[in-house]
Amino acid sequence: MPRLVGMRQDLHMHPELGFEEHRTAKIVADFLREIGLEVHEGVGKTGVVGVLRKGGGSRSVGLRADMDALPIIEQGTPEYVSQNHGVMHACGHDGHTTMLLGAAWLLAKTVEFSGTVNFIFQPAEEGQAGAKAMIDDSLFTRFPCDSVFAVHNWPELPEGVAQTRHGAIMAAADRFDIRVFGGGGHAAQPHLSPDTMLATSELVVQLNTIISRCIDPTDPALLTVTQVQGGFSHNMIPAEARITGTVRSFDLRAQDIIEASLRRLAEYIPAAHGLQAEVKYKRYYPATINSAAEADIALQAAASAGLDTSVAPKPALTSEDFSFMLQQKPGAYLWLGQGDGSAKPLAPLHHPNYDFNDNVLPLGVKWFVEVVKKQLEHRLTL
């Protein structure tokens, strides 16, 4: 454990953005070689895959951890605070990587099984689809997996608690960018030019009605405007303004309705003001959908690892690019609680004061090991 804690804190001190995880990937590859695994680097640009075979069995399982950090200025003050200003591990990927390395060590040195374990260290989970990059680089052709599993720390759950569920556990994520243009003029002469800011403001309000008026109230979905930009002076109506935001959903039909409604509003509201609009809409992550049998295995493995295990009552509207792997292979995604039980709640994911709880490192290691034992149990033939 001391080595794992030191490794995790070292990764925290030296965070790297998506597809820039060169130092992290080298640490991973060097450790895997040290414990005797077959190592493949540069999978999906900066991804690493370690292969461990035992017992001669034909079955295989993939275990995945993400490695990248976020473009956030760290505000916490641990001794191992980020040394890369403007970049920090605000989502716990330093912990995920360390847990999978610990599991690789245990499985290589102390655990018997029959088959192949592929340890998948993935780059660029944070919005850049590193999982898809690995798949496009023939991940599952080069490293066949009958199933794949991943874990994510979950500050909302207490330390020692684990949850997952059949079906959807994380939402699909879309991004929209709308440019409203065609106006501009003196602020004291609004009658001479269409008002881009007025049209943009009206559009922001109406975008927020799409979910409540176009989607079945029993279907979870979300649209959030996150940026509104326009203008450079107090006395000028800008020539253009921009709106950016995100959409989250679980159902493809709902996703289609939301996109169509957004495009319709973006066309007609600016037009009513004598303006034009340009829409860019990107569906960048699909929903994360667990297969039922593998979700049950994930829960059974959590119980065997000594975790307080239960079915998650509802999915989260956050997104995860492990979804691309689950489109290719049966598998499951587990939430691992890391709340420390103190009266003051931990900082949430993507917060500048966030830090991974090192107490859960052995819990994640045990869960990965138990997944392998359940999937690749050594069977003696008589």
Side-chain angles (χ1 to χ4, degrees), residues 177-216:
D177 294 271
I178 304 172
R179 181 172 75 100
V180 178
F181 62 96
H186 200 294
Q189 297 176 313
H191 59 294
L192 299 180
S193 174
D195 191 332
T196 48
M197 293 306 294
L198 178 60
T200 300
S201 299
E202 184 178 336
L203 181 54
V204 169
V205 171
Q206 291 302 314
L207 290 174
N208 280 282
T209 69
I210 290 175
I211 303 301
S212 64
R213 289 298 174 266
C214 299
I215 300 300
D216 186 326

Side-chain angles (χ1 to χ4, degrees), residues 124-142:
E125 188 280 326
E126 297 290 356
Q128 297 185 73
K132 188 175 186 301
M134 294 189 83
I135 292 167
D136 290 345
D137 198 13
S138 303
L139 173 68
F140 292 127
T141 302
R142 298 165 63 187

Side-chain angles (χ1 to χ4, degrees), residues 93-325:
H93 297 185
D94 49 347
H96 304 163
T97 296
T98 304
M99 290 189 294
L100 189 53
L101 289 173
W105 184 90
L106 273 181
L107 288 163
K109 301 298 184 182
T110 69
V111 179
E112 292 304 315
F113 60 87
S114 183
T116 301
V117 184
N118 294 309
F119 299 91
I120 302 167
F121 293 87
Q122 181 209 302
E125 188 280 326
E126 297 290 356
Q128 297 185 73
K132 188 175 186 301
M134 294 189 83
I135 292 167
D136 290 345
D137 198 13
S138 303
L139 173 68
F140 292 127
T141 302
R142 298 165 63 187
F143 313 101
C145 297
D146 295 314
S147 56
V148 290
F149 293 84
V151 65
H152 203 295
N153 76 94
W154 213 244
E156 295 95 321
L157 293 176
E159 177 185 312
V161 171
Q163 289 185 348
T164 192
R165 65 199 308 272
H166 292 186
I169 187 163
M170 305 279 269
D174 305 343
R175 171 178 173 158
F176 60 87
D177 294 271
I178 304 172
R179 181 172 75 100
V180 178
F181 62 96
H186 200 294
Q189 297 176 313
H191 59 294
L192 299 180
S193 174
D195 191 332
T196 48
M197 293 306 294
L198 178 60
T200 300
S201 299
E202 184 178 336
L203 181 54
V204 169
V205 171
Q206 291 302 314
L207 290 174
N208 280 282
T209 69
I210 290 175
I211 303 301
S212 64
R213 289 298 174 266
C214 299
I215 300 300
D216 186 326
T218 63
D219 292 339
L222 173 147
L223 183 152
T224 301
V225 173
T226 55
Q227 297 179 46
V228 180
Q229 299 174 333
F232 303 96
S233 171
H234 79 284
N235 63 351
M236 179 184 74
I237 297 173
E240 66 176 56
R242 296 175 181 266
I243 302 169
T244 296
T246 187
V247 171
R248 306 298 168 99
S249 60
F250 297 94
D251 179 77
L252 183 58
R253 181 174 178 274
Q255 199 174 19
D256 290 343
I257 291 171
I258 294 168
E259 180 178 353
S261 300
L262 181 146
R263 289 184 179 278
R264 187 167 56 248
L265 290 173
E267 178 182 359
Y268 290 117
I269 289 175
H273 289 264
L275 297 164
Q276 301 175 63
E278 175 184 84
V279 177
K280 294 181 180 179
Y281 194 100
K282 181 180 181 181
R283 303 186 184 194
Y284 62 94
Y285 285 176
T288 305
I289 309 293
N290 289 335
S291 50
E294 283 67 28
D296 288 339
I297 288 168
L299 290 169
Q300 293 163 15
S304 297
L307 292 158
D308 181 1
T309 305
S310 61
V311 175
K314 58 185 178 181
L317 284 159
T318 47
S319 65
E320 166 59 76
D321 81 340
F322 185 61
S323 55
F324 289 108
M325 296 191 184

